[in-house]
Amino acid sequence: MIRQKLQDLVDSLPISPERSCSYYPDRLSQIQYLPFQGEIAKDALQFFFDSGFRRTGNILYRASCNGCKDCLSYRIPLDQFTPSRNRKRLLKKNSDLTIRFAPPSLTTDKELLYLRYQRLRYESFVSGESDQELLEGMRWNLFGTPENSLEMTLWLGEKLLGFMILDYASDSLSAVYSVYDPEYPDRSLGSFAILCSILYAKESGMKFYHLGYFLPGHPDMDYKKFWGPSEIREPDGTHWTSFEEFQKSHVDFFR
């Protein structure tokens, strides 16, 4: 009964007007969205994750673009996940870092790290935005709705090297956004943050880790195919299928 009510709610959600796509500037994008306030029941949030929704700020959303289905919801079944030899080496390389999990908390150190990360990693994309504009977006997106979230921080002694915001439901952890110091490229901090949060979710007894949208062949989003075993949600259906089966039955996505 509750799941049916949630499905009815999802079916009634509005579709946003078209706007420029953040992944492919020559395309237009739309989302189906649900604004919310405060804490969401864990079972309800799980339903939204299972239905391909993600969060930004106080909005749950999923891609609903006209004529494009390249944004594929991507998750890792945690009972199948075991760190590879390379992942274990990554853990060893960063064994001197301290990893902490706590409720999201905005600090000046995180704001400064966020600005440095954006300016060095996405210089051309954010060049037209002031520091204040970038920070306003960060505060709204990552720290404005903390009731459903968890924050992982990475420390080298007293120096903050990275932080990651994760949303948690009854059976899943969903990666929202990660920020790391780009001046430590040898540490592969982005991959390390993903790995540590996956292991945390697995050790916490969760079933799935949602890694956001996978866009085959996209220079910034194709890397997710290396995190597996994984499942992809059928863009025209309601079920999830293994990466291998999806690849076999949707050849056009991988050309």
Side-chain angles (χ1 to χ4, degrees):
M1 180 68 72
I2 294 177
R3 291 184 66 84
Q4 186 57 54
K5 288 184 177 180
L6 287 170
Q7 185 59 58
D8 291 343
L9 172 61
V10 167
D11 292 340
S12 71
L13 293 179
I15 306 295
S16 71
E18 289 186 327
R19 56 173 294 178
S20 179
C21 177
S22 58
Y23 298 118
Y24 296 107
D26 60 334
R27 304 182 193 180
L28 295 175
S29 69
Q30 291 176 284
I31 58 170
Q32 190 176 27
Y33 64 97
L34 173 66
F36 68 91
Q37 295 294 331
E39 186 172 3
I40 301 173
K42 297 294 182 287
D43 288 343
L45 192 55
Q46 184 64 51
F47 180 87
F48 281 101
F49 288 168
D50 291 342
S51 302
F53 281 77
R54 295 181 49 69
R55 179 185 67 82
T56 181
N58 67 329
I59 295 173
L60 291 170
Y61 74 95
R62 66 180 177 185
S64 185
C65 303
N66 202 2
C68 177
K69 299 185 182 298
D70 283 3
C71 289
L72 302 171
S73 296
Y74 192 92
R75 73 183 186 185
I76 298 169
L78 294 172
D79 62 346
Q80 300 177 32
F81 181 81
T82 302
S84 65
R85 187 175 301 174
N86 286 340
R87 305 294 187 205
K88 290 179 180 177
R89 281 199 288 264
L90 183 59
L91 289 172
K92 185 176 181 180
K93 179 183 292 186
N94 289 294
S95 61
D96 57 335
L97 299 186
T98 300
I99 305 159
R100 298 171 185 160
F101 289 89
S105 175
L106 183 60
T107 66
T108 300
D109 284 347
K110 291 169 189 172
E111 291 183 335
L112 293 175
L113 180 57
Y114 181 84
L115 289 175
R116 189 161 69 252
Y117 175 79
Q118 294 294 330
R119 295 299 185 197
L120 292 178
R121 186 169 173 82
Y122 300 109
E123 180 181 3
S124 60
F125 187 72
V126 302
S127 60
E129 297 185 63
S130 67
D131 286 357
Q132 186 59 36
E133 289 172 326
L134 288 174
L135 289 177
E136 286 176 0
M138 170 205 180
R139 292 163 187 155
W140 176 78
N141 183 26
L142 303 183
F143 294 95
T145 311
E147 294 89 350
N148 307 290
S149 303
L150 183 71
E151 181 181 37
M152 180 181 71
T153 52
L154 308 176
W155 300 85
L156 180 60
E158 298 300 315
K159 182 178 176 61
L160 178 68
L161 291 195
F163 64 93
M164 186 176 194
I165 301 296
L166 303 137
D167 288 343
Y168 60 96
S170 56
D171 291 328
S172 299
L173 207 61
S174 176
V176 177
Y177 199 76
S178 63
V179 175
Y180 55 87
D181 196 323
E183 296 179 1
Y184 292 80
D186 293 343
R187 289 184 176 271
S188 301
L189 290 172
S191 295
F192 181 67
I194 292 173
L195 179 56
C196 289
S197 56
I198 288 175
L199 293 176
Y200 175 86
K202 183 178 176 73
E203 292 165 3
S204 299
M206 293 187 172
K207 295 180 180 178
F208 299 104
Y209 181 92
H210 290 257
L211 195 50
Y213 285 132
F214 166 55
L215 282 70
H218 189 281
D220 293 328
M221 306 299 283
D222 191 61
Y223 75 90
K224 295 181 182 182
K225 67 185 179 186
F226 298 114
W227 289 95
S230 61
E231 295 177 345
I232 292 175
R233 188 174 185 273
E234 292 286 349
D236 292 317
T238 59
H239 68 282
W240 296 75
T241 187
S242 71
F243 182 95
E244 292 76 16
E245 289 301 318
F246 186 91
Q247 193 172 30
K248 289 177 184 176
S249 59
H250 297 80
V251 178
D252 290 346
F253 277 95
F254 297 89
R255 289 179 176 171

